[in-house]
Amino acid sequence: MDGFHPFRVLRARGLWIVNGVVTGVLALLFAVLYIGANVDPVGHLHKLPVGLVNADKGANAGGEHVNLGARTIESITKSNAGGDAIDWKVMDEQKMNKELGQGKLFGALVVPGDFSSSTTTLISTAADKKPVRPTLTVVTNQSAGSLGSSLARSATTEAAKNASSQVGRELSAQAGAERTKLPPAERLLLADPAVVTVKDGHPLHSHSGLGMTAFYYALVLVVCGMLAANVISGQVDHALGYTHNDMGPLRKHRPLIRASRVQTLAISSTLMAGLSVLMGSLVLAGAVGMGMDVSHVPLLWLYSVCAIAVAGIGGLALLAVFGTPGMLLVALIFVAMAVPTAGATMPIEALPGFFRFLAEFEPLRQITDGVRSILYYDAQGDAGLTRGWAMLAIGLVAASLFGFGVTRLYDRKGLHRIPSEVEKPTQAGVPA
């Protein structure tokens, strides 16, 4: 029917049903994954690692040597402050600084060396003793994630205040009748003797996005790989003559070059590997050009190139195996499920159990950990770089085995790709 109007295709129920199901499921999954992971971080918080450090040297009081810092740490651990939400780790200052510098702690509570001596002056009535209010220091770590550091700060501040009240009760009991002889100001201090101070345990440069540049840089790498996979897949099909290439009003079509599915994937993967060098270089140049603080530039460049290549080859494998639905899978795996589980905007410890499971293998989390190690932690392997490299290698092997294994099976079963020109023609005027 030569008079068949193109808009009549909108009457086809199948067109509405198929597209409605696909877009509806995609919208629902994005909403569930993004909002479900972030809706109640405090309620889902489980075992957030926070350090407890007692540097108190003790003091003599009442004819005996006391260490109020040790009592303070003990009161926090025995009271299980924060419940299962906080994993209190008792350690010394050296280990605390090391783990803060590897992103293994989101914060810490430090009892300083003069805690006991400063505290005992509050119950001294000697004229030559001027009371010095003791301090408890809350240490933050924005490099491990702003929200995680904030949650740790809140928990440690509350624990410090409770510990201060406990010390105050002990001091009041120890002072006994002498308490009435103290000046009014000192008596007030006994109820809550310690001052809680806050300091950054692992300061970052000013152009580090408050600890978020590592996440956004890693996200750029993943998105580059994902989008490049879609572009390269289509352009290789055009170069082989399997599809048209529309450039605005122009349509180009090349002569058919028959290629097996395995050969097509090999061509696409080779192109991806080569172009990853270009993309990784430009991503790094763009980040530096925008003023981002960057360290270990050659290592970051190599890691960027490899991350884009692995993400891209993974995307190409999904497209080769699943065809058009592979685009949706790429979006789900590399964006929908990846961003909530990256451990950047939300610490892994604050995610529901399902998302913590996804975070073990989701590519963006692994890449973010590697970038964070390079940018913030002097490229230490224990800070996430070793895991990042290992997971990139595992991801490349898994994507290659899956993609080439399945496409080889398709080829062996004779499921060859056939250009539209030689397909069985449909009934004239009726859309297939």
Side-chain angles (χ1 to χ4, degrees), residues 4-17 19 431:
F4 180 79
H5 198 281
F7 281 96
R8 286 184 60 187
V9 75
L10 293 174
R11 299 180 183 179
R13 286 186 299 176
L15 184 67
W16 288 94
I17 292 174
N19 286 281

Side-chain angles (χ1 to χ4, degrees), residues 252-339:
K252 295 182 179 180
H253 189 76
R254 295 178 179 274
L256 175 64
I257 301 174
R258 292 192 176 273
S260 67
R261 293 179 182 271
V262 168
Q263 290 172 333
T264 303
L265 180 57
I267 294 169
S268 300
S269 299
T270 302
L271 192 59
M272 173 63 73
L275 293 180
S276 294
V277 176
L278 172 64
M279 288 185 286
S281 301
L282 292 177
V283 168
L284 181 57
V288 172
M290 294 304 296
M292 187 180 85
D293 286 311
V294 177
S295 56
H296 301 280
V297 173
L299 178 60
L300 182 60
W301 172 82
L302 180 61
Y303 192 82
S304 302
V305 170
C306 293
I308 292 174
V310 172
I313 291 173
L316 288 171
L318 291 172
L319 292 170
V321 170
F322 297 105
T324 301
M327 298 180 184
L328 302 179
L329 291 175
V330 169
L332 288 174
I333 293 172
F334 290 98
V335 179
M337 294 191 297
V339 173

Side-chain angles (χ1 to χ4, degrees), residues 118 121-124 126 129-133 183 186 189:
S118 297
T121 61
L122 298 179
I123 57 174
S124 172
K129 294 255 185 149
K130 183 178 181 181
V132 177
R133 197 173 182 185
E186 276 74 1
L189 288 179

Side-chain angles (χ1 to χ4, degrees), residues 105-425:
L105 292 178
F106 285 89
L109 178 62
V110 179
V111 182
D114 63 348
F115 185 74
S116 290
S117 60
S118 297
T119 303
T120 54
T121 61
L122 298 179
I123 57 174
S124 172
T125 57
D128 60 342
K129 294 255 185 149
K130 183 178 181 181
V132 177
R133 197 173 182 185
T135 62
L136 292 171
T137 303
V138 171
V139 179
T140 61
N141 189 12
Q142 278 195 334
S143 65
S146 297
L147 181 58
S149 179
S150 176
L151 292 171
R153 174 177 175 172
S154 177
T156 49
T157 300
E158 182 178 358
K161 290 180 178 179
N162 291 337
S164 176
S165 298
Q166 177 63 29
V167 170
R169 288 191 290 269
E170 293 182 11
L171 288 176
S172 297
Q174 182 180 345
E178 296 294 326
R179 182 175 182 273
T180 58
K181 300 179 182 179
L182 296 173
E186 276 74 1
R187 289 203 301 269
L188 289 174
L189 288 179
L190 288 182
D192 184 17
V195 175
V196 179
T197 61
V198 180
K199 75 171 186 177
D200 191 348
H202 187 72
L204 296 174
H205 295 292
S206 59
H207 290 179
S208 296
L210 299 178
M212 291 298 292
T213 51
F215 166 68
Y216 287 113
Y217 188 91
L219 181 61
V220 170
L221 299 180
V222 171
V223 170
C224 282
M226 178 188 73
L227 295 179
N230 282 281
V231 172
I232 289 173
S233 178
Q235 290 302 307
V236 168
D237 281 349
H238 169 63
L240 294 174
Y242 282 87
T243 61
H244 297 285
N245 190 20
D246 291 330
M247 300 293 290
L250 303 178
R251 165 166 289 195
K252 295 182 179 180
H253 189 76
R254 295 178 179 274
L256 175 64
I257 301 174
R258 292 192 176 273
S260 67
R261 293 179 182 271
V262 168
Q263 290 172 333
T264 303
L265 180 57
I267 294 169
S268 300
S269 299
T270 302
L271 192 59
M272 173 63 73
L275 293 180
S276 294
V277 176
L278 172 64
M279 288 185 286
S281 301
L282 292 177
V283 168
L284 181 57
V288 172
M290 294 304 296
M292 187 180 85
D293 286 311
V294 177
S295 56
H296 301 280
V297 173
L299 178 60
L300 182 60
W301 172 82
L302 180 61
Y303 192 82
S304 302
V305 170
C306 293
I308 292 174
V310 172
I313 291 173
L316 288 171
L318 291 172
L319 292 170
V321 170
F322 297 105
T324 301
M327 298 180 184
L328 302 179
L329 291 175
V330 169
L332 288 174
I333 293 172
F334 290 98
V335 179
M337 294 191 297
V339 173
T341 60
T345 56
M346 185 76 65
I348 303 300
E349 293 81 3
L351 296 174
F354 171 69
F355 292 91
R356 287 200 295 270
F357 167 73
L358 286 180
E360 292 300 315
F361 55 84
E362 265 294 330
L364 182 56
R365 188 267 175 103
Q366 325 307 326
I367 295 173
T368 299
D369 283 351
V371 174
R372 182 184 283 126
S373 174
I374 296 172
L375 291 181
Y376 306 154
Y377 304 134
D378 199 27
Q380 296 178 77
D382 289 344
L385 186 57
T386 298
R387 177 185 173 90
W389 280 120
M391 294 303 288
L392 283 179
I394 292 171
L396 179 61
V397 171
S400 299
L401 290 176
F402 176 69
F404 286 104
V406 176
T407 53
R408 178 176 173 81
L409 179 63
Y410 289 166
D411 288 336
R412 292 181 64 180
K413 288 184 173 293
L415 301 174
H416 304 299
R417 306 181 69 199
I418 304 173
S420 58
E421 287 81 359
V422 297
E423 287 182 329
K424 183 177 179 179

